[in-house]
């Protein structure tokens, strides 16, 4: 399989990117690291005669702190995200995902924006970012809008991103005292293997050691990162103990919509969801206690 003939356009600004994409629509695609798009083009899953690279747009770079929260530029690579001192010190649950994705060579070029915008069901960042209440900023010549990540995905490889929009950054609020999050992922190998099933958990504990808020988000077992609303209901108001985690895990298993493929049957994936949910909740709980007021 070879890449088909394409023209590459290098945009220096967001406006240039959108203008170029419009000029060649519907035959143009935005290009970031290319680790998802070029594979799809080679395999013939998508077609494009024009690639509009956003790699020269400085506004899409950098990881920084904003009012105690986190701002991740869309062009931040997975390696840069994992090495960011701010992430390591204050948003470390993200490292559960960055450390396990792909392999170093891919992580060096794969971007955060691409991992979200590709909307592939097994993408690793969306579940943990959603569990940590992240949103994405979408820029168009008409203005910018902010979309909570749980409202961004529509279906497998489909998002609310419009043709004239670029995902510019991810924004995450400062973790409140008593908040902890974790991402548990199962793959068939340690390196270069996409997730068979994954679960992200975000827990807020009150001073009375009961759960105040909870988010369970499934990865790789539904067309989109799936928030298990019922699991929140069963956890809130209870002590964060094994019995409550088991109840939440059962609901997560029920909510999963896995497919069977070469990596595992749907039944196997459901089993894994139960185990990963309990693991993610136990780790999130430990971190929430460490982060208590
Ligand atoms: C060998 C291999 C292993 C992999 N393993 C994993 C893994 O373990 N976990 C995982 O999650 N992923 C994995 N991937 C998938 C891929 O590396 C990631 O999803 C990566 O983060 C995609 O980012 P990118 O910059 O390469 O995106 P690109 O391929 O450049 O783009 C992907 C899509 O997003 C769109 N896009 C990119 N940036 C923007 C933007 N700023 N605004 C709007 N649209 C945009 C593009 O138009 C395209 O449709 C793997 C890929 C390979 C080749």
């Amino acid at each position: 399989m070879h890449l088909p003939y394409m023209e590459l356009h290098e945009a220096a600004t967001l406006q240039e990117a959108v203008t170029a994409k419009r000029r060649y629509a519907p035959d143009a695609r935005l290009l970031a690291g290319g680790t998802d798009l070029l594979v799809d083009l080679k395999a013939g899953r998508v077609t494009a005669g024009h690639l509009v690279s956003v790699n020269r747009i400085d506004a899409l770079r950098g990881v920084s702190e904003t009012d105690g929260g986190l701002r991740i530029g869309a062009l931040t690579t997975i390696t840069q995200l994992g090495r960011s001192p701010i992430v390591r010190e204050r948003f470390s649950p993200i490292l559960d995902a960055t450390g396990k994705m792909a392999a170093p060579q891919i992580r060096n070029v794969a971007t955060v924006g691409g991992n979200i915008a590709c909307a592939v069901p097994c993408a690793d960042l969306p579940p943990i970012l959603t569990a940590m209440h992240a949103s994405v900023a979408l820029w168009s010549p008409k203005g910018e809008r902010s979309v909570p990540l749980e409202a961004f995905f529509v279906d497998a490889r489909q998002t609310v991103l419009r043709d004239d929009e670029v995902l510019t950054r991810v924004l995450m609020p400062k973790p409140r005292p008593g908040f902890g999050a974790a991402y548990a992922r199962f793959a068939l190998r340690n390196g270069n293997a996409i997730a068979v099933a994954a679960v992200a958990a975000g827990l807020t504990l009150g001073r009375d050691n009961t759960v105040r808020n909870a988010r369970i988000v499934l990865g790789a077992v539904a067309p989109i990162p799936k928030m298990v609303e019922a699991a929140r209901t069963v956890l809130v108001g209870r002590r964060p103990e094994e019995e409550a985690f088991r109840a939440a895990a059962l609901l997560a298993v029920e909510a999963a919509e896995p497919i069977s493929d070469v990596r595992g049957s749907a039944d196997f994936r459901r089993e894994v969801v139960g185990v990963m949910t309990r693991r993610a909740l136990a780790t999130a709980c430990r971190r929430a206690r460490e982060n208590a007021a």
Side-chain angles (χ1 to χ4, degrees), residues 228-242:
V228 187
E229 200 49 48
R232 189 186 75 82
T233 314
V234 85
L235 286 165
V236 168
R238 288 175 78 168
R239 287 187 175 275
E241 290 164 355
E242 183 61 23

Side-chain angles (χ1 to χ4, degrees), residues 203-215:
L203 273 187
T204 308
L205 300 184
R207 285 171 187 266
D208 59 354
N209 192 34
T210 61
V211 177
R212 287 282 162 84
N213 200 1
R215 276 189 168 192

Side-chain angles (χ1 to χ4, degrees), residues 266-288:
D267 284 346
F268 174 66
R269 283 192 155 98
R270 278 194 200 92
E271 288 285 325
V272 177
V273 166
V275 177
M276 293 299 120
T277 304
R278 295 202 302 276
R279 278 189 198 166
L281 279 168
T283 307
C285 178
R286 178 173 51 75
R287 290 172 176 167

Side-chain angles (χ1 to χ4, degrees), residues 33-164:
T35 61
D36 188 74
L37 182 57
L38 295 181
V39 176
D40 278 352
L41 285 163
K42 239 180 170 178
R45 278 191 292 270
V46 298
T47 55
H50 300 266
L51 296 186
V52 180
S53 169
V54 293
N55 284 285
R56 288 177 54 211
I57 306 178
D58 288 339
L60 301 180
R61 297 200 177 275
V63 179
S64 56
E65 211 172 350
T66 51
D67 298 329
L70 181 67
R71 173 205 174 278
I72 309 168
L75 277 181
T76 306
T77 65
I78 308 303
T79 300
Q80 288 166 343
L81 185 65
R83 287 187 183 162
S84 155
I86 304 163
V87 172
R88 297 187 83 82
E89 280 163 29
R90 287 186 214 112
F91 299 87
S92 57
I94 294 173
L95 304 177
D96 292 348
T98 57
K100 296 193 178 118
M101 288 169 70
Q105 293 89 338
I106 299 287
R107 295 200 290 260
N108 287 344
V109 282
T111 67
V112 172
N115 195 249
I116 297 169
C118 69
V120 170
C122 62
D124 282 297
L125 287 179
I128 185 64
L129 296 180
T130 307
M132 296 177 77
H133 302 268
S135 57
V136 283
L138 310 179
W139 183 94
S140 86
K142 291 177 208 134
E144 194 173 63
R145 61 179 174 139
S146 171
V147 178
L149 217 43
E150 61 270 27
F152 180 73
F153 300 97
V154 174
D155 205 342
R157 296 175 183 271
Q158 278 178 47
T159 71
V160 299
L161 204 56
R162 294 193 308 254
D163 277 349
D164 66 345

